[in-house]
């Protein structure tokens, strides 16, 4: 979970810096917001699949770890 929070924190800080710089350069708020999310607008379909695939792999690894811990705890309680 720490990795997710750190990643989201870094994303927030970097997007805030990008928005701030664009506003200081004199762009309108609408243009500034469009520039902040433009990396997702220029991605092609295979890149979206790879992006989603990597997120799914990460979530499945976390789910496997949680279920493995849960099963281990249940088995240790039964064995006592």
């Amino acid at each position: 979970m720490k990795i997710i929070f750190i990643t989201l924190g870094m994303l927030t800080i970097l997007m805030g810096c990008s928005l701030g710089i664009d506003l200081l350069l004199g762009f309108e708020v609408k243009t500034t917001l469009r520039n902040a999310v433009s990396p997702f607008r220029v991605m092609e379909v295979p890149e979206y699949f790879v992006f989603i695939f990597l997120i799914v792999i990460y979530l499945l690894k976390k789910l496997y770890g949680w279920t493995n811990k849960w099963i281990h705890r249940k088995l240790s309680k039964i064995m006592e």
Side-chain angles (χ1 to χ4, degrees), residues 2 7-8 12-13 18-21 28 34 39 49 52-53 57 64-66 71 75-76:
K2 282 195 292 187
T7 303
L8 290 176
T12 304
I13 291 169
S18 174
L19 292 173
I21 290 172
E28 295 178 5
R34 190 178 327 131
F49 283 123
I52 292 170
F53 181 69
I57 287 175
Y64 175 75
W66 287 335
I71 290 171
L75 286 177
S76 66

Side-chain angles (χ1 to χ4, degrees), residues 11-79:
L11 175 69
T12 304
I13 291 169
L14 291 173
M15 285 184 77
C17 288
S18 174
L19 292 173
I21 290 172
D22 282 349
L23 288 173
L24 287 174
L25 287 173
F27 290 115
E28 295 178 5
V29 176
K30 184 178 179 181
T31 307
T32 303
L33 292 174
R34 190 178 327 131
N35 288 340
V37 294
S38 66
F40 298 107
R41 295 176 78 209
V42 297
M43 287 174 64
E44 295 180 9
V45 176
E47 292 172 325
Y48 279 119
F49 283 123
V50 170
F51 181 66
I52 292 170
F53 181 69
L54 291 173
I55 291 173
V56 168
I57 287 175
Y58 177 76
L59 293 175
L60 287 175
K61 285 175 67 175
K62 284 295 183 184
L63 181 65
Y64 175 75
W66 287 335
T67 56
N68 198 14
K69 283 183 184 178
W70 183 76
I71 290 171
H72 189 272
R73 286 182 191 156
K74 290 289 184 181
L75 286 177
S76 66
K77 286 182 181 180
I78 292 172
M79 300 299 271

